[in-house]
Amino acid sequence: MAEALEGRRSTRRTATLASLAAELGVSRTTVSNAYNRPDQLSPALRRRVLDTARRLGYPGPDPVARSLRTRKAGAVGLLLTEALSYAFRDPVAIQFLEGLALACEDNGSGLLLVPVSPEAEDVGAVSRAGVDGFVVYSMPDDDEHFAAVLERPVPVVVCDQPTDVPDVDRVGIDDQAAMVELARHVAELGHRKIGVLCMRLSLDRNDGFASVERQDSARYEVQRRRIAGLRDGFVEAGVDWSTVPVVERFDHTEAAGANGLEQMLAQHPDVTAVLCTSDILALGALRSARSSGRDVPGELTITGFDGVPAAERNGLTTVRQPSLDKGRAAGELLLDRGDRQRSRTLLLPTELMVRATSGPPPR
C-alpha cells in the first residue's frame, strides 16, 4: 500500500490536459468534457479518457483555476456561530444540516461549513470562504460575521435570525406564537409558580438569572421571542412576569440544563413548572430532577422546545419544529434564485406535543 501511494505521488500531475489530448488523439475540449460535461461524450469515449488520465497521472482540471474561470465555487457556505463540532453534536443542528445537504445534493452543489465562535471578532473565515452563497444559521443581531456575509456579492438566506434584513430571504417559524400555545397549556393545568430556563441571550457569558431588561434586550432574537411568548401566555393567566425567575445558560448542553435547574430551585423552591427554551436544556433539567428524587410531573412539570428524537423517547412535553425541512427550504431558496426582485420569508408550522412531563401542580 505504501509503495502504491508513493508511486501515485511521484506521478502526480506529470500529464497536462494538452498532453492527455495528444496521447488520446482527441481535442482538449473532449478531455475537458469528460470531467465537466460528461453528457457530451459517449460512455465508451469518456471511460477511455478517464482511464488514460489515471494511467498518465492526470488528476483532472484544477478546481481553483476552474472556479476562477467560471466564477463559480460549486458550494454553499453554512455560517454558524458555534464550534465546528456543534453541527454534528446538537440534534437540531444535525437535522437542519441534513436538510440543507439534501437541497445541495439535488442541485449538485457542495457544502462548506464556516463555523465562527460567538466570542471571536475575526471575520476572515467569511471573507476567505469560496462559496456561491451563504445560509446563515441563527446568528445574533448586529453580528460582525453576518455583516461580513452581507458585504459579499453573493445571495444570502437566513435561517431563524436575524429577521427583517433587507433583500435577504429567510426561513423560520413563529417562535413567539408557538411558546404562547405552550404557556397556555401549562397555565391551563393550573401552574402559576413557574420558572424559565433559556439559552444564551447575548454574546457576553451569563450563567445565572436574567433580568427582565436583559430578556427584552437579548441579541438572540429567537430566545427573545420565545421568552416573550411565555410571558404573553402567563400574563393572560394573571402571572406577574417580574416575579418569574429566568435562568440563562451560555452553553447549550444537557449539563447546562441540569445545573440550571439546580440553581433555579435552590433560590425558588416553590416553582412547580420549569419551561425550557430548548429540548437539550429540558432533557438536562429532567435528568437532574429525577436524579434528585423529584417526581415529574407530580412535583415538577418540565417542558422543552424543538422536538428532537430524545424528547419523544423521554416523554417530554415540547414544541416540535421541522428542523430538517428548515434546512432543505433554506438551501432551495438559495439555489433556486429565479428571476425575482423581492426577498421571500417562509414560515414553517410547529406542533405542540403534550406528553408525560407536564401535569397539574401538586396540591
Side-chain angles (χ1 to χ4, degrees), residues 49-337:
V49 171
L50 297 179
D51 287 346
T52 304
R54 189 176 299 110
R55 177 171 57 83
L56 297 179
Y58 177 69
D62 187 335
V64 175
R66 181 176 183 273
S67 66
L68 290 173
R69 184 175 64 255
T70 63
R71 304 190 68 82
K72 292 290 184 181
V76 169
L78 173 62
L79 183 69
L80 67 160
T81 53
E82 299 290 346
L84 181 60
S85 60
Y86 183 87
F88 303 96
R89 182 181 69 248
D90 182 83
V92 177
I94 290 171
Q95 291 175 334
F96 178 84
L97 187 60
E98 180 182 357
L100 179 57
L102 288 171
C104 290
E105 287 176 6
D106 292 343
N107 189 260
S109 296
L111 180 59
L112 175 67
L113 302 187
V114 188
V116 291
S117 168
E119 299 170 300
E121 296 182 357
D122 180 21
V123 298
V126 174
S127 303
R128 293 189 299 268
V131 297
D132 299 318
F134 281 97
V135 172
V136 175
Y137 184 58
S138 204
M139 303 285 286
D141 295 348
D142 302 323
D143 185 88
E144 292 184 0
H145 303 94
F146 181 54
V149 164
L150 295 180
E151 291 176 356
R152 296 279 302 270
V154 295
V156 178
V157 174
V158 169
C159 179
D160 290 333
Q161 59 188 3
T163 61
D164 300 325
V165 182
D167 303 321
V168 171
D169 292 339
R170 175 177 171 264
V171 176
I173 60 174
D174 192 335
D175 292 275
Q176 190 162 341
M179 271 303 202
V180 168
E181 186 179 8
L182 178 61
R184 285 171 177 163
H185 161 68
V186 175
E188 288 169 0
L189 290 172
H191 292 276
R192 296 297 181 271
K193 296 291 186 179
I194 65 162
V196 176
L197 184 54
C198 72
M199 295 168 61
R200 75 171 73 114
L201 299 177
S202 293
L203 297 178
D204 59 310
R205 180 177 286 273
N206 174 48
D207 290 312
F209 290 91
S211 66
V212 173
E213 291 74 21
R214 183 173 176 84
Q215 298 166 35
D216 291 341
S217 62
R219 290 185 62 186
Y220 285 90
E221 188 172 352
V222 165
Q223 294 302 300
R224 189 168 71 238
R225 289 182 178 275
R226 290 183 187 177
I227 293 174
L230 293 176
R231 179 176 57 203
D232 292 346
F234 281 106
V235 168
E236 279 183 5
V239 174
D240 180 358
W241 190 255
S242 66
T243 67
V244 175
V246 176
V247 172
E248 177 184 355
R249 282 296 181 265
F250 190 86
D251 296 323
H252 189 221
T253 63
E254 288 193 23
N259 59 47
L261 180 72
E262 294 167 6
Q263 182 180 21
M264 178 180 295
L265 295 181
Q267 293 197 31
H268 299 272
D270 58 339
V271 163
T272 63
V274 175
L275 296 94
C276 305
T277 63
S278 80
D279 284 347
I280 294 299
L281 294 179
L283 290 168
L286 184 61
R287 183 186 68 197
S288 174
R290 288 173 172 169
S291 65
S292 63
R294 289 186 176 87
D295 177 36
V296 178
E299 295 177 65
L300 184 67
T301 281
I302 296 177
T303 67
F305 195 109
D306 285 328
V308 302
E312 182 175 4
R313 293 196 299 269
N314 286 273
L316 180 68
T317 292
T318 188
V319 172
R320 182 166 63 190
Q321 64 164 318
S323 298
L324 187 145
D325 292 341
K326 268 187 181 180
R328 184 189 282 276
E332 290 174 349
L333 279 178
L334 185 75
L335 294 166
D336 183 21
R337 302 302 297 173

Side-chain angles (χ1 to χ4, degrees), residues 8-28:
R8 290 185 65 182
R9 280 195 292 266
S10 64
T11 60
R12 197 167 177 83
R13 281 225 177 263
T14 57
T16 65
L17 185 145
S19 64
L20 178 59
E23 173 76 14
L24 289 163
V26 299
S27 69
R28 286 183 290 182

